[in-house]
Amino acid sequence: MSSELSRRSVFRAIGLGATAVAVPSLISACGDGSGGGGVGNAGTEQAAWPTYTAAKVPAPDLPGDGNDVQNGYTKYPSQVGTATNGKPGDGSVVKAVVITYGTPPGPKETNKFLQAVNEALGIDLQLTVVPDADYQAKMATLMAGDDLPDIMNIGGGYILPREADFVASKCADLSEYLSGDAVKAYPNLANIPTRAWKDMGRVKGRIMGVPVERPAPGNIFFANREMWKGVGVDDKAFSAGGWTSTDLLTAAKALTKDKKYALGASKSGNFGLGVHAPAWGAPNLWKNDGGTFSSYFTTPEFKQAVAFMRDLFAAGVYYPDALTVSQVDAKTHFAGQITGSLTDGFGAYSQMVTSAKGAYTVAPALPYAGGSAGGKIFAARSVFGYTVLKKAAPERIKLLLRVLDFLAAPFGTKEYELVHYGVEGTHFTRDAAGNPVQTDLWKGGENKTNLPITYLCDAPQVLFYPGVSPEAIALMHSFEQKTAPNLVRNPAYGLVSDTASKSEAAIRKTITDVLNSVVMGRASLDDWDAAVKRYKADGGDKIGEEYGKEYAASK
């Protein structure tokens, strides 16, 4: 999802009324964090990862591989079971904060979805939902104070300054409840794959949160297949593979005409960097060379990708005003066929297909090859984010973990059905094949986008979306199969760096600003070289050193 939305930035605490936010400096938001010492794992006794225990799920129509390729379902299961025993709560108030990419929902007095979730959970959930445009400011305020909610989700693609310090000093250590076989008390949390726990990582050797799992593909070049087929790259781009940067540039030039543009763009998308960098063979954020870590900014492959994006911009194939358009507006341009493609995360697929309304095929393009080592795709971090709990007595922690366990119930269960589709007859009906069909109430705003409880905890993802055709599900399943061998993973996921926690957000913004200037022709590649040197001196090299020590300790 985008970090820039073109709507009024507000947030509402359901049942508590609106809350005003005083925004401190983000860099100092968390004070001194843990109050001494680092937050890394080197030299610590590290808690064992939770013992993975797979849940029983309906047999998929399109089987996955248990790792990089998801199970696909072209129809909803005919038999839906249960995954929990009774209500997890005790009737008490549970306060939580989470990001949203929609409009904050109405109060619980009128919100039938929230009422049903509260009834099933056995709690009075008071959920503060924060629009993503406000997320960093709100979290900075929350992390600086002592009046914490019970449950807090950290993530949404944001780097929060001193995040690990906050988690170490103010959040509950969950190791004794989740490490090793202890997680079996929460069977749905035990069903979260180990890769998600590892990509979340430990802090000071401890398990401090619960990951919200996400599938393997990272940023994807989503294309209007019919538009690109018209300029001669259909098989190469979507079926057989083997297209090159020259093919892309030539096709993009041919497609851009009559106020239509080949490449959609937005401020948060950085000209599709997440697609172009791996296409030229750049590492995924960090490179691990025998235990020595270096940023992808410093590699020649990354510089080649920047140079190619500059060529694309000079050719006029990007949507104009690329650095002021929000990702939400960029999706609108794509849906209206003003643009022929858009780089976005995996989770945008179902929304894009729905927005197309059958007028064209939303196709995930196979990676093109830039340099000799190109043609790759970045693997996503295996988590949308992770959820931490306020320090509390053991019985309270167990209750909160039971709530998260309910939210993590797998596909094909009544719990999953409630959390993802709402109440039958109110939020969805069923078609002749038994598939959920969303009602006007759900489409109108009373849904899990505006009430984002799945960002607190969620089941391992599967390929099934109400209202999305079997053909679209099969298309994405095929894409995952074809790209799995070319996924490039970030070796730093799950590792902790004190310097990154304190300063990475700032130094990344500085070098990204130069990157955008180079792409737009306002700065040269010599300016890029100077920016890389500054990035390394300002903390990039130090972060790499700390990741190297963490990596050695993790082995």
Side-chain angles (χ1 to χ4, degrees), residues 50-51 174-180 182-183 186 189 197 207 209-210 401:
T51 301
L174 304 180
S175 303
E176 67 175 285
Y177 308 99
L178 300 177
S179 181
V183 76
Y186 311 97
L189 300 185
W197 296 96
I207 296 173
V210 176
L401 288 173

Side-chain angles (χ1 to χ4, degrees), residues 221 228 233 243-253 263 276 308 312 368:
F221 186 92
W228 288 84
V233 294
W243 65 325
T244 67
S245 55
T246 300
D247 294 328
L248 172 58
L249 179 57
T250 301
K253 288 179 178 178
L263 306 179
H276 298 300
F308 180 63
L312 291 170
Y368 70 89

Side-chain angles (χ1 to χ4, degrees), residues 476-493:
M476 179 56 77
H477 189 266
S478 175
F479 171 82
E480 290 188 354
Q481 289 179 314
K482 292 175 180 177
T483 57
N486 292 317
L487 285 169
V488 180
R489 303 186 186 281
N490 179 357
Y493 283 150

Side-chain angles (χ1 to χ4, degrees), residues 49-50 178 189 192-201 207 209-211:
W49 296 118
L178 300 177
L189 300 185
I192 297 173
T194 302
R195 60 178 171 79
W197 296 96
K198 287 184 175 181
D199 277 5
M200 176 186 73
I207 296 173
V210 176

Side-chain angles (χ1 to χ4, degrees), residues 67-147:
N67 190 30
D68 295 329
V69 181
Q70 298 170 273
N71 285 337
Y73 295 86
T74 59
K75 57 184 179 301
Y76 197 63
S78 57
Q79 299 294 323
V80 178
T82 58
T84 58
N85 295 315
K87 299 179 181 180
D90 59 3
S92 61
V93 171
V94 172
K95 296 181 180 180
V97 64
V98 69
I99 195 170
T100 182
Y101 300 96
T103 303
K108 62 185 176 184
E109 289 76 15
T110 59
N111 192 308
K112 295 179 181 178
F113 185 31
L114 178 57
Q115 291 170 10
V117 169
N118 271 343
E119 174 63 25
L121 293 175
I123 60 174
D124 180 5
L125 179 62
Q126 297 184 356
L127 186 66
T128 299
V129 288
V130 186
D132 71 323
D134 292 342
Y135 179 75
Q136 287 180 303
K138 171 62 178 175
M139 290 302 294
T141 302
L142 183 148
M143 291 161 67
D146 294 319
D147 185 17

Side-chain angles (χ1 to χ4, degrees), residues 43-319:
T44 66
E45 182 179 348
Q46 299 184 36
W49 296 118
T51 301
Y52 174 68
T53 307
K56 293 183 179 180
V57 297
D61 304 301
L62 302 168
D65 64 1
N67 190 30
D68 295 329
V69 181
Q70 298 170 273
N71 285 337
Y73 295 86
T74 59
K75 57 184 179 301
Y76 197 63
S78 57
Q79 299 294 323
V80 178
T82 58
T84 58
N85 295 315
K87 299 179 181 180
D90 59 3
S92 61
V93 171
V94 172
K95 296 181 180 180
V97 64
V98 69
I99 195 170
T100 182
Y101 300 96
T103 303
K108 62 185 176 184
E109 289 76 15
T110 59
N111 192 308
K112 295 179 181 178
F113 185 31
L114 178 57
Q115 291 170 10
V117 169
N118 271 343
E119 174 63 25
L121 293 175
I123 60 174
D124 180 5
L125 179 62
Q126 297 184 356
L127 186 66
T128 299
V129 288
V130 186
D132 71 323
D134 292 342
Y135 179 75
Q136 287 180 303
K138 171 62 178 175
M139 290 302 294
T141 302
L142 183 148
M143 291 161 67
D146 294 319
D147 185 17
L148 300 177
D150 300 286
I151 303 175
M152 297 157 279
N153 179 261
I154 296 174
Y158 290 97
I159 299 173
L160 300 177
R162 298 186 182 271
E163 178 181 309
D165 295 303
F166 164 74
V167 171
S169 62
K170 295 187 177 182
C171 299
D173 182 350
L174 304 180
S175 303
E176 67 175 285
Y177 308 99
L178 300 177
S179 181
D181 287 346
V183 76
K184 293 182 179 180
Y186 311 97
N188 299 320
L189 300 185
N191 182 47
I192 297 173
T194 302
R195 60 178 171 79
W197 296 96
K198 287 184 175 181
D199 277 5
M200 176 186 73
R202 306 178 182 93
V203 177
K204 291 188 173 181
R206 312 303 292 167
I207 296 173
M208 301 297 296
V210 176
V212 181
E213 188 267 356
R214 285 297 181 265
N219 280 344
I220 297 172
F221 186 92
F222 290 107
N224 179 322
R225 185 165 187 171
E226 284 71 25
M227 291 178 71
W228 288 84
K229 184 177 182 179
V231 292
V233 294
D234 185 68
D235 288 340
K236 287 184 177 182
F238 306 111
S239 301
W243 65 325
T244 67
S245 55
T246 300
D247 294 328
L248 172 58
L249 179 57
T250 301
K253 288 179 178 178
L255 199 154
T256 302
K257 58 184 177 181
D258 301 327
K259 295 185 178 182
K260 293 185 182 293
Y261 303 88
L263 306 179
S266 72
K267 180 178 180 180
S268 62
N270 297 117
F271 299 102
L273 175 63
V275 163
H276 298 300
W280 286 86
N284 188 347
L285 298 181
W286 289 91
K287 180 180 181 180
N288 177 8
D289 185 5
T292 299
F293 281 70
S294 55
S295 169
Y296 72 164
F297 291 133
T298 67
T299 65
E301 294 87 359
F302 189 94
K303 184 177 178 180
Q304 287 178 310
V306 174
F308 180 63
M309 290 188 291
R310 180 196 57 182
D311 293 343
L312 291 170
F313 187 89
V317 299
Y318 282 109
Y319 183 82

Side-chain angles (χ1 to χ4, degrees), residues 75-78 80 417 424 428-437 464:
K75 57 184 179 301
Y76 197 63
S78 57
V80 178
E417 189 171 273
E424 184 171 4
F428 74 92
T429 58
R430 298 187 191 275
D431 63 17
N435 297 309
V437 178
F464 176 81

